[in-house]
mmCIF file of all heavy atoms in Angstrom:
data_model
loop_
_atom_site.group_PDB
_atom_site.id
_atom_site.type_symbol
_atom_site.label_atom_id
_atom_site.label_comp_id
_atom_site.label_asym_id
_atom_site.label_seq_id
_atom_site.Cartn_x
_atom_site.Cartn_y
_atom_site.Cartn_z
ATOM 1 N N GLN B 437 46.446 0.734 -29.898
ATOM 2 C CA GLN B 437 47.775 0.737 -30.444
ATOM 3 C C GLN B 437 47.844 0.201 -31.889
ATOM 4 O O GLN B 437 48.597 0.859 -32.716
ATOM 5 C CB GLN B 437 48.637 -0.288 -29.526
ATOM 6 C CG GLN B 437 50.134 -0.296 -29.836
ATOM 7 C CD GLN B 437 50.909 1.022 -29.484
ATOM 8 O OE1 GLN B 437 50.387 1.738 -28.580
ATOM 9 N NE2 GLN B 437 52.065 1.229 -30.085
ATOM 10 N N ALA B 438 47.117 -0.809 -32.187
ATOM 11 C CA ALA B 438 47.152 -1.353 -33.532
ATOM 12 C C ALA B 438 46.500 -0.303 -34.528
ATOM 13 O O ALA B 438 47.047 -0.082 -35.636
ATOM 14 C CB ALA B 438 46.406 -2.633 -33.624
ATOM 15 N N TRP B 439 45.381 0.271 -34.135
ATOM 16 C CA TRP B 439 44.798 1.282 -34.980
ATOM 17 C C TRP B 439 45.793 2.480 -35.202
ATOM 18 O O TRP B 439 45.893 2.998 -36.292
ATOM 19 C CB TRP B 439 43.425 1.875 -34.378
ATOM 20 C CG TRP B 439 42.337 0.853 -34.347
ATOM 21 C CD1 TRP B 439 41.595 0.562 -33.326
ATOM 22 C CD2 TRP B 439 41.580 0.357 -35.518
ATOM 23 N NE1 TRP B 439 40.533 -0.304 -33.605
ATOM 24 C CE2 TRP B 439 40.544 -0.393 -34.958
ATOM 25 C CE3 TRP B 439 41.796 0.491 -36.843
ATOM 26 C CZ2 TRP B 439 39.599 -1.066 -35.789
ATOM 27 C CZ3 TRP B 439 40.865 -0.236 -37.681
ATOM 28 C CH2 TRP B 439 39.745 -1.049 -37.135
ATOM 29 N N LYS B 440 46.394 2.844 -34.096
ATOM 30 C CA LYS B 440 47.216 4.015 -34.131
ATOM 31 C C LYS B 440 48.376 3.751 -35.049
ATOM 32 O O LYS B 440 48.745 4.686 -35.877
ATOM 33 C CB LYS B 440 47.824 4.312 -32.734
ATOM 34 C CG LYS B 440 48.712 5.498 -32.658
ATOM 35 C CD LYS B 440 49.392 5.527 -31.226
ATOM 36 C CE LYS B 440 50.545 6.508 -31.233
ATOM 37 N NZ LYS B 440 51.333 6.365 -29.984
ATOM 38 N N THR B 441 48.959 2.615 -34.957
ATOM 39 C CA THR B 441 50.087 2.287 -35.848
ATOM 40 C C THR B 441 49.745 1.647 -37.149
ATOM 41 O O THR B 441 50.569 1.261 -37.881
ATOM 42 C CB THR B 441 51.090 1.352 -35.044
ATOM 43 O OG1 THR B 441 50.387 0.141 -34.787
ATOM 44 C CG2 THR B 441 51.580 2.007 -33.799
ATOM 45 N N SER B 442 48.444 1.451 -37.324
ATOM 46 C CA SER B 442 47.870 0.694 -38.492
ATOM 47 C C SER B 442 48.573 -0.608 -38.652
ATOM 48 O O SER B 442 48.861 -1.048 -39.716
ATOM 49 C CB SER B 442 48.042 1.567 -39.763
ATOM 50 O OG SER B 442 47.391 2.783 -39.704
ATOM 51 N N ASN B 443 48.823 -1.270 -37.521
ATOM 52 C CA ASN B 443 49.590 -2.497 -37.589
ATOM 53 C C ASN B 443 49.073 -3.497 -36.575
ATOM 54 O O ASN B 443 49.238 -3.320 -35.367
ATOM 55 C CB ASN B 443 51.141 -2.179 -37.336
ATOM 56 C CG ASN B 443 51.924 -3.476 -37.275
ATOM 57 O OD1 ASN B 443 51.513 -4.529 -37.697
ATOM 58 N ND2 ASN B 443 53.220 -3.345 -36.800
ATOM 59 N N TRP B 444 48.393 -4.492 -37.017
ATOM 60 C CA TRP B 444 47.849 -5.466 -36.101
ATOM 61 C C TRP B 444 48.879 -6.417 -35.576
ATOM 62 O O TRP B 444 48.643 -7.150 -34.595
ATOM 63 C CB TRP B 444 46.674 -6.252 -36.777
ATOM 64 C CG TRP B 444 45.536 -5.336 -37.016
ATOM 65 C CD1 TRP B 444 45.202 -4.689 -38.149
ATOM 66 C CD2 TRP B 444 44.577 -4.851 -36.012
ATOM 67 N NE1 TRP B 444 44.164 -3.840 -37.958
ATOM 68 C CE2 TRP B 444 43.689 -3.990 -36.582
ATOM 69 C CE3 TRP B 444 44.376 -5.239 -34.709
ATOM 70 C CZ2 TRP B 444 42.667 -3.379 -35.958
ATOM 71 C CZ3 TRP B 444 43.356 -4.596 -34.014
ATOM 72 C CH2 TRP B 444 42.517 -3.711 -34.648
ATOM 73 N N ASN B 445 50.090 -6.285 -36.025
ATOM 74 C CA ASN B 445 51.225 -6.986 -35.503
ATOM 75 C C ASN B 445 52.133 -6.121 -34.690
ATOM 76 O O ASN B 445 53.200 -6.505 -34.296
ATOM 77 C CB ASN B 445 51.985 -7.758 -36.584
ATOM 78 C CG ASN B 445 51.181 -8.841 -37.197
ATOM 79 O OD1 ASN B 445 50.722 -9.739 -36.429
ATOM 80 N ND2 ASN B 445 51.027 -8.870 -38.499
ATOM 81 N N ASP B 446 51.587 -4.934 -34.319
ATOM 82 C CA ASP B 446 52.353 -4.096 -33.374
ATOM 83 C C ASP B 446 52.696 -4.952 -32.201
ATOM 84 O O ASP B 446 51.876 -5.627 -31.606
ATOM 85 C CB ASP B 446 51.413 -2.935 -32.969
ATOM 86 C CG ASP B 446 52.164 -1.941 -32.097
ATOM 87 O OD1 ASP B 446 52.345 -2.300 -30.903
ATOM 88 O OD2 ASP B 446 52.597 -0.944 -32.576
ATOM 89 N N PRO B 447 53.930 -4.842 -31.736
ATOM 90 C CA PRO B 447 54.400 -5.718 -30.657
ATOM 91 C C PRO B 447 53.632 -5.551 -29.365
ATOM 92 O O PRO B 447 53.356 -6.524 -28.675
ATOM 93 C CB PRO B 447 55.896 -5.348 -30.429
ATOM 94 C CG PRO B 447 56.248 -4.359 -31.464
ATOM 95 C CD PRO B 447 55.031 -4.064 -32.319
ATOM 96 N N VAL B 448 53.291 -4.299 -29.087
ATOM 97 C CA VAL B 448 52.454 -4.101 -27.819
ATOM 98 C C VAL B 448 51.144 -4.874 -27.970
ATOM 99 O O VAL B 448 50.733 -5.574 -27.024
ATOM 100 C CB VAL B 448 52.185 -2.543 -27.602
ATOM 101 C CG1 VAL B 448 51.267 -2.336 -26.473
ATOM 102 C CG2 VAL B 448 53.562 -1.969 -27.412
ATOM 103 N N SER B 449 50.506 -4.660 -29.053
ATOM 104 C CA SER B 449 49.213 -5.309 -29.340
ATOM 105 C C SER B 449 49.343 -6.821 -29.209
ATOM 106 O O SER B 449 48.543 -7.505 -28.610
ATOM 107 C CB SER B 449 48.625 -4.901 -30.657
ATOM 108 O OG SER B 449 48.521 -3.463 -30.792
ATOM 109 N N LEU B 450 50.270 -7.353 -29.954
ATOM 110 C CA LEU B 450 50.472 -8.780 -30.095
ATOM 111 C C LEU B 450 50.703 -9.396 -28.672
ATOM 112 O O LEU B 450 50.209 -10.443 -28.358
ATOM 113 C CB LEU B 450 51.553 -9.119 -31.080
ATOM 114 C CG LEU B 450 51.528 -10.504 -31.691
ATOM 115 C CD1 LEU B 450 50.165 -10.824 -32.391
ATOM 116 C CD2 LEU B 450 52.660 -10.651 -32.712
ATOM 117 N N ALA B 451 51.599 -8.660 -27.912
ATOM 118 C CA ALA B 451 51.874 -9.195 -26.652
ATOM 119 C C ALA B 451 50.700 -9.274 -25.704
ATOM 120 O O ALA B 451 50.500 -10.273 -25.001
ATOM 121 C CB ALA B 451 52.966 -8.293 -25.987
ATOM 122 N N ILE B 452 49.872 -8.245 -25.708
ATOM 123 C CA ILE B 452 48.682 -8.327 -24.872
ATOM 124 C C ILE B 452 47.773 -9.398 -25.235
ATOM 125 O O ILE B 452 47.266 -10.277 -24.491
ATOM 126 C CB ILE B 452 47.996 -6.941 -24.909
ATOM 127 C CG1 ILE B 452 48.802 -5.824 -24.205
ATOM 128 C CG2 ILE B 452 46.613 -7.002 -24.324
ATOM 129 C CD1 ILE B 452 48.234 -4.447 -24.378
ATOM 130 N N VAL B 453 47.492 -9.534 -26.590
ATOM 131 C CA VAL B 453 46.517 -10.440 -27.128
ATOM 132 C C VAL B 453 47.038 -11.887 -26.759
ATOM 133 O O VAL B 453 46.276 -12.810 -26.291
ATOM 134 C CB VAL B 453 46.352 -10.346 -28.553
ATOM 135 C CG1 VAL B 453 45.638 -11.509 -29.149
ATOM 136 C CG2 VAL B 453 45.606 -8.987 -28.870
ATOM 137 N N ASN B 454 48.312 -12.138 -26.896
ATOM 138 C CA ASN B 454 48.851 -13.428 -26.652
ATOM 139 C C ASN B 454 48.942 -13.751 -25.155
ATOM 140 O O ASN B 454 48.772 -14.920 -24.773
ATOM 141 C CB ASN B 454 50.249 -13.615 -27.293
ATOM 142 C CG ASN B 454 50.088 -13.879 -28.845
ATOM 143 O OD1 ASN B 454 48.969 -14.423 -29.213
ATOM 144 N ND2 ASN B 454 51.054 -13.467 -29.619
ATOM 145 N N GLN B 455 49.137 -12.708 -24.359
ATOM 146 C CA GLN B 455 49.036 -12.972 -22.858
ATOM 147 C C GLN B 455 47.678 -13.497 -22.533
ATOM 148 O O GLN B 455 47.484 -14.477 -21.790
ATOM 149 C CB GLN B 455 49.340 -11.670 -22.130
ATOM 150 C CG GLN B 455 49.418 -11.806 -20.603
ATOM 151 C CD GLN B 455 49.332 -10.497 -19.879
ATOM 152 O OE1 GLN B 455 49.233 -9.445 -20.473
ATOM 153 N NE2 GLN B 455 49.367 -10.615 -18.592
ATOM 154 N N ILE B 456 46.625 -12.799 -23.058
ATOM 155 C CA ILE B 456 45.314 -13.254 -22.749
ATOM 156 C C ILE B 456 44.973 -14.597 -23.362
ATOM 157 O O ILE B 456 44.380 -15.484 -22.731
ATOM 158 C CB ILE B 456 44.301 -12.193 -23.319
ATOM 159 C CG1 ILE B 456 44.420 -10.953 -22.385
ATOM 160 C CG2 ILE B 456 42.894 -12.697 -23.402
ATOM 161 C CD1 ILE B 456 43.619 -9.759 -22.942
ATOM 162 N N ARG B 457 45.475 -14.847 -24.576
ATOM 163 C CA ARG B 457 45.240 -16.174 -25.195
ATOM 164 C C ARG B 457 45.865 -17.252 -24.356
ATOM 165 O O ARG B 457 45.161 -18.320 -24.134
ATOM 166 C CB ARG B 457 45.952 -16.171 -26.617
ATOM 167 C CG ARG B 457 45.048 -15.458 -27.674
ATOM 168 C CD ARG B 457 45.761 -15.665 -29.044
ATOM 169 N NE ARG B 457 45.842 -17.000 -29.419
ATOM 170 C CZ ARG B 457 44.780 -17.767 -29.895
ATOM 171 N NH1 ARG B 457 43.571 -17.169 -29.962
ATOM 172 N NH2 ARG B 457 44.926 -19.052 -30.311
#
Side-chain angles (χ1 to χ4, degrees):
Chain B
Q437 183 72 22
W439 289 118
K440 179 190 167 189
T441 59
S442 302
N443 178 12
W444 290 97
N445 289 309
D446 183 282
V448 173
S449 305
L450 202 56
I452 290 173
V453 168
N454 282 333
Q455 184 195 358
I456 288 172
R457 281 185 61 75

